Amino acid sequence: MPARWRAGDRFASVALRRSLAASPFAGLVVVGIGLVTSWLVVYLMGGAGNLVPHLFYVPILFAAVRFGPVAALSTALLAGVLAGPLTYLDVATGTPQELDRWVSRTVFFATIGVGMAALVRPSLPSVGDDLRRRRTAGHLRQALDAGELFVRYQPVLSMRTGAVYGVEALVRWDHPEFGELEPGAFVPDAEASRMIQEVDAFVLEDACRRAVHWQSLAAEHGRPAPTITVNLSRANLEGSDVISSVRDILRRTGVDPGQICLEVTESMLVEDVDVSAARLAGLKTLGVVLAVDDFGTGYSSLSAIHRFPVDVLKVDRAFLAALNRDPHADTLVGALVLLSRSLGVTLIAEGVEDRAQRDTLVEFGYDLVQGFYYAYPLMPAEIDPLVTAAAPFEAVAVSGGDVGGEPTSERLHRGGDHARGRDDRR
Ligand code: C2E
Ligand code: MG
Ligand code: MG
């Protein structure tokens, strides 16, 4: 885990630095080139008397944006010297500039530089973020074409039977420089551009193809077909072509739509209840299962949840993290069992990390769970033996009774040659 987080953090900070010309040295070079070019143009045009030296504003403004007021002031003074003593007023006749003219010009430059620095400073972080997002989105396009994106699958299991109920598709980027990146390092940037639609389509197609494979593998062993869950981004749900693009992928891959579950987060639903309800109803006509992810964090959708044709609620893992520590979390996690029963929806607890959490869930009557206590997101080949086995995980007596013991199958770890092998992805 820590190594993975470091890769994501390193990726974000390097991308940010590279986005605005961005090592300090590169920034200084840009300022230097701007000053020399401005001087050259003014000189070649016959001097500062023939051409108002507006060009000098460019490096001054760049210094203001890139480095702040002190650099803007220094650049302005340099520009003043270059546009003054180092440029004859009239190059052709060799007339030198008058002292008071270049002093007043330099003061003007300096005022512009410092003023600009003060103006742009508050918006600098957002400018940097925006540039970084665009850059990441561009890199993602290349990554998609180069086959660097792949999908891990995290099991969802029944504690009652110990069998795999399904898997959730979670995208990853095998970055040539930073190694395996988790979605937190690039999905938000992809969401800020249209790239997320392509990423989601890639993941859905991968999931559908695997679903066909796992369905036949499970059938060979007399096991039910697992449900494959795919996350749908906000931009996708809001897009008018989401239904046709999902339909195309379902048809192209020949998957049974009932085996595919599309997940939207609760916060996406509360944004525009009417649009979300209409889109979900459209998706439902395709025959897919619909789930609300991160349930409990979107606040107001409890009042509207009956308006959405959802089949599954996934309890946000923040509530599980607070289990046994915060009585409110315990109350809510317990109450969701009653809510799901009265709504007639399936309930999944996400983020089970330890045995104490598992035991509390068992006490509350939960059955379906997903979490690192049982399995990390795995490579597709590692899912094969799980869908064919009757009980790869330990079965426990749900709703009271004996809940002791560790999961029988050793906890399934990410990483290692097998998990990272490219061949497993195809
Ligand atoms: P999510 O849909 O809620 O997915 C579950 C996340 O929780 C996964 O993180 C999973 O690794 C993590 N998780 C599962 N069990 C545990 C646990 O016991 N403890 C902890 N601490 N974490 C656990 P991941 O893979 O980093 O994905 C993060 C989010 O990125 C996902 O949250 C989902 O919102 C988004 N995402 C992932 N793949 C895609 C994709 O293909 N498209 C879109 N639009 N979003 C995606
Ligand atoms: Mg999800
Ligand atoms: Mg979730």
Side-chain angles (χ1 to χ4, degrees):
M1 279 292 287
R4 197 67 53 74
W5 286 119
R6 272 201 299 274
D9 292 348
R10 211 154 58 84
F11 170 72
S13 72
V14 171
L16 180 59
R17 268 194 287 116
R18 285 183 188 164
S19 61
L20 208 118
S23 70
F25 178 73
L28 283 177
V29 170
V30 171
V31 172
I33 291 174
L35 285 172
V36 171
T37 310
S38 307
W39 176 81
L40 207 62
V41 170
V42 172
Y43 186 87
L44 292 176
M45 294 299 289
N50 282 355
L51 179 77
V52 188
H54 286 330
L55 253 188
F56 281 102
Y57 296 164
V58 177
I60 297 171
L61 294 185
F62 181 85
V65 171
R66 178 64 183 81
F67 297 108
V70 176
L73 186 62
S74 316
T75 310
L77 294 177
L78 255 171
V81 173
L82 287 171
L86 294 187
T87 310
Y88 286 111
L89 182 61
D90 184 336
V91 177
T93 60
T95 320
Q97 293 205 54
E98 296 145 25
L99 185 71
D100 57 340
R101 280 197 67 186
W102 79 259
V103 167
S104 66
R105 180 176 297 133
T106 304
V107 170
F108 186 65
F109 279 165
T111 313
I112 293 230
V114 175
M116 276 314 291
L119 275 178
V120 298
R121 206 145 185 80
S123 57
L124 265 188
S126 63
V127 170
D129 283 353
D130 192 44
L131 283 166
R132 197 205 58 225
R133 276 196 206 105
R134 285 163 198 266
R135 208 182 157 86
T136 307
H139 285 173
L140 257 179
R141 149 122 316 291
Q142 294 163 3
L144 204 52
D145 294 343
E148 288 168 12
L149 294 195
F150 67 102
V151 186
R152 283 187 179 275
Y153 291 88
Q154 187 180 27
V156 177
L157 60 123
S158 159
M159 293 191 290
R160 198 190 306 271
T161 64
V164 166
Y165 160 87
V167 288
E168 177 169 11
L170 297 162
V171 69
R172 298 289 185 264
W173 180 356
D174 187 9
H175 195 285
E177 193 175 343
F178 302 103
E180 181 175 331
L181 297 178
E182 290 181 342
F186 60 95
V187 161
D189 290 345
E191 273 171 342
S193 73
R194 286 185 62 83
M195 267 315 290
I196 193 63
Q197 276 147 324
E198 296 187 45
V199 171
D200 281 359
F202 163 79
V203 174
L204 180 60
E205 179 138 1
D206 190 88
C208 289
R209 294 195 192 284
R210 308 277 182 205
V212 172
H213 165 69
W214 285 323
Q215 186 274 331
S216 67
L217 198 63
E220 276 170 28
H221 291 76
R223 304 290 316 147
T227 298
I228 320 299
T229 298
V230 178
N231 292 284
L232 207 60
S233 73
R234 181 189 300 272
N236 253 329
L237 186 69
E238 286 167 357
S240 53
D241 55 353
V242 63
I243 295 157
S244 60
S245 79
V246 170
R247 186 193 295 120
D248 286 350
I249 295 174
L250 294 175
R251 282 199 186 138
R252 197 160 58 234
T253 54
V255 69
D256 168 7
Q259 219 191 318
I260 298 298
C261 172
L262 298 178
E263 245 178 50
V264 295
T265 62
E266 189 188 17
S267 58
M268 282 157 67
L269 296 182
V270 296
E271 194 100 314
D272 189 335
V273 173
D274 292 332
V275 171
S276 306
R279 288 281 191 281
L280 291 185
L283 288 169
K284 195 79 196 133
T285 62
L286 303 177
V288 295
V289 179
L290 295 177
V292 178
D293 203 359
D294 305 341
F295 192 73
T297 54
Y299 306 110
S300 53
S301 73
L302 257 187
S303 56
I305 194 73
H306 65 279
R307 292 188 52 192
F308 304 110
V310 296
D311 312 283
V312 179
L313 295 182
K314 283 180 96 167
V315 183
D316 189 67
R317 70 168 191 263
F319 294 111
L320 267 74
L323 264 190
N324 306 318
R325 269 181 262 151
D326 176 355
H328 298 296
D330 289 24
T331 308
L332 192 108
V333 171
L336 285 177
V337 175
L338 301 177
L339 179 80
S340 68
R341 281 182 190 154
S342 69
L343 289 173
V345 298
T346 302
L347 193 62
I348 298 178
E350 188 174 54
V352 185
E353 288 187 345
D354 57 43
R355 192 171 147 185
Q357 289 172 354
R358 182 203 67 173
D359 291 350
T360 307
L361 291 173
V362 165
E363 227 172 85
F364 285 147
Y366 276 75
D367 178 27
L368 299 177
V369 286
Q370 175 181 352
F372 295 169
Y373 179 63
Y374 288 102
Y376 290 116
L378 302 171
M379 293 306 285
E382 296 171 289
I383 298 295
D384 287 0
L386 300 180
V387 299
T388 56
F393 299 95
E394 183 198 30
V396 291
V398 173
S399 292
D402 176 22
V403 293
E406 298 293 328
T408 46
S409 80
E410 196 184 325
R411 197 198 306 202
L412 296 154
H413 286 272
R414 294 179 289 192
D417 291 346
H418 174 62
R420 294 289 314 279
R422 271 176 173 273
D423 293 347
D424 295 338
R425 294 177 212 156
R426 307 282 169 231

